[in-house]
Amino acid sequence: MTNPLIGWQIDPQDLQYVGHDLERPECILAERDGTLWSADGRGGVVRIDPDGHQELVLQRGQSPNTASSFTDRLVNTRGSLPNGLAFDENGDFLIANFGTDQLELMTRHGESRVLLDKIDGRPIGKANFVTRDRKGRLWLTVTTQMVPWTEHVKTNSRDGYVALIDKNGARIVADNLCGTNELRFDRNEEWLYVAETTSRNITRFRVDGDRLVDRQIYGPANVGGFCDGIAFDDYGNLWTTLIMADRLVAITPDGDLLTILDAGGDPAPLAALDAAWEAGQVTPELMGACGGTICRWMASLTFGGPDLRTVYLGSLQGTRIPYFQAPVGGQPLIYW
């Protein structure tokens, strides 16, 4: 079978959109019936029905997040900022909260409680993403433990990690990671793939029971930008968004890099950011100058629709969700 992504790209002008007036729709979950759930920077999730009707569900027990400036929302990360989402076994929401530095559980009606805020008695740091495996175990990524977290992007600190939460509690199973972001399993859950955003590469580990071993870089040592969201398609291509470049690429099973969508804006600020990364001099100001207008700071990607060929794109600064039809479906996700 020929790789369906070879020679194929989506024109930014062909993107369609769903949702409106969203706040920081970083991560998106798609149900089988077409319902979407989007993380929302006001401190909760937004349900978007197939007919377009949407409803904001805020976390009860927390004040709504009213921080709106670039500095408050993206640099100081004030208030509740739901980042990575996953369904739990009941269909409720596991939330890696980048603002509260916690792993949380929220029901579909907003009741919320903290599942994890410390490991070995220490604050966990910037909780980024969470997923659930077929055994019911939770895997959490923490981007950095630096305060403020933006010191990490200036120094490329390797203080990120992956934590495993199971019946034996929570523990770190992989560390020395640089800007740990989304993580995904392959089809058979034999390998766990992690986006190291600030070192701009994908790392994978072989899953050996409750251990991660045989660490290796997967694909290019530099994917050409700050990789954020990752997801496998049914062919075995690993898709990843390049945040700030607003570009979507894929690593083929042969390790080649393909561009799927380029929705970036002015190339000059991005070139300045890339040069600063090479020199170890990245600043929030350089980051903030980057991004297009179609999907500003493209973050996550989700395969949905009846055939899993509808690709939804999350972002940190967008107010709606771009989507398009892909020539291949995504790997099925765990629901409940």
Side-chain angles (χ1 to χ4, degrees), residues 10 27 43 145 274:
I10 179 73
C27 187
Q145 300 168 72
D274 288 344

Side-chain angles (χ1 to χ4, degrees), residues 180-191:
T180 333
N181 211 304
E182 290 199 10
L183 77 168
R184 300 287 183 184
F185 289 97
D186 65 2
R187 185 184 300 277
N188 297 320
E189 296 190 349
E190 296 174 338
W191 291 87

Side-chain angles (χ1 to χ4, degrees), residues 140-146 152 155-163 172-183 192-205 212 215-217:
L140 173 72
T141 63
V142 171
T143 298
T144 180
Q145 300 168 72
M146 299 191 77
H152 158 72
T155 62
N156 282 5
S157 63
R158 304 196 67 87
D159 62 336
Y161 62 85
V162 177
I172 295 172
V173 290
D175 57 12
N176 193 35
L177 293 164
C178 190
T180 333
N181 211 304
E182 290 199 10
L183 77 168
L192 181 67
Y193 295 73
V194 182
E196 289 193 78
T197 298
T198 326
S199 60
R200 310 202 339 175
N201 64 266
I202 307 297
T203 293
R204 73 173 185 172
F205 301 87
L212 297 180
R215 176 177 180 162
Q216 57 191 250
I217 290 179

Side-chain angles (χ1 to χ4, degrees), residues 241-275:
T241 59
L242 304 183
I243 192 170
M244 293 172 285
D246 286 339
R247 192 159 65 247
L248 178 63
V249 301
I251 301 171
T252 72
D254 294 326
D256 298 322
L257 192 69
L258 305 176
T259 297
I260 298 170
L261 167 68
D262 189 346
D266 185 350
L270 184 61
L273 177 64
D274 288 344

Side-chain angles (χ1 to χ4, degrees), residues 50-80:
D51 63 4
H53 175 266
Q54 67 182 51
E55 177 184 0
L56 172 64
V57 182
L58 292 173
Q59 293 174 283
R60 295 183 186 174
Q62 292 191 19
S63 299
N65 190 347
T66 58
S68 59
S69 71
F70 175 86
T71 299
D72 283 347
R73 183 64 56 86
L74 296 169
V75 179
N76 296 328
T77 57
R78 291 181 177 168
S80 175

Side-chain angles (χ1 to χ4, degrees), residues 15 47 53 102 120 136 140 146 188 195 232 240 243 248 252 268 283 285 287 294 305 307 313 319 321 332:
L15 293 172
R47 173 185 173 129
H53 175 266
Q102 298 174 157
D120 295 332
L140 173 72
M146 299 191 77
N188 297 320
F232 277 103
T240 181
I243 192 170
L248 178 63
T252 72
T283 66
E285 291 74 21
M287 295 164 58
I294 294 175
D307 55 4
L313 299 174
T319 58
I321 299 169

